[in-house]
Amino acid sequence: MIGVLVTFTPTDKFDRATLTKIAGELRGPFEGMAGLRFKSFMLDEDGNQARNFYVWDDAEKGRAFFTKEIVDKVTGIYGAPPTIEYLDIVGFVDNSGT
């Protein structure tokens, strides 16, 4: 299992309403995506960074998803290039089924 943290830091602060709209518009393609356990769209408290967090069942699929085309696309959507960090998930708690 692999986690991927994608961070966008624009020159101006993000607007929460704009990011909520982006999350709603981009949600569909991720629903039911093979190998993706979950994805979250997040905004830090100060509005300075948008962060998306993915959990992939397979590290290879997680890494393969972030092609140059995807990076270019999300740079256009968020108005800032992303920083992508790959994280080895060594433990996981899922309370969604309780």
Side-chain angles (χ1 to χ4, degrees), residues 15-85:
D15 173 65
R16 188 177 199 286
T18 300
L19 285 179
T20 300
K21 182 179 179 202
I22 289 170
E25 291 172 353
L26 296 181
R27 176 187 183 121
F30 294 100
E31 293 177 340
M33 183 177 281
L36 180 64
R37 183 167 295 195
F38 73 77
K39 176 186 174 157
S40 61
F41 296 87
M42 303 174 290
L43 177 63
D44 74 342
E45 244 181 336
D46 299 325
N48 294 320
Q49 292 183 322
R51 294 185 180 117
N52 296 337
F53 187 67
Y54 302 74
V55 173
W56 296 86
D57 289 324
D58 179 275
E60 189 174 308
K61 285 183 182 177
R63 289 180 182 277
F65 177 76
F66 296 95
T67 63
K68 180 182 179 335
E69 291 78 20
I70 289 291
V71 170
D72 289 346
K73 181 178 180 177
V74 296
T75 297
I77 291 168
Y78 286 88
T83 300
I84 302 172
E85 297 174 72

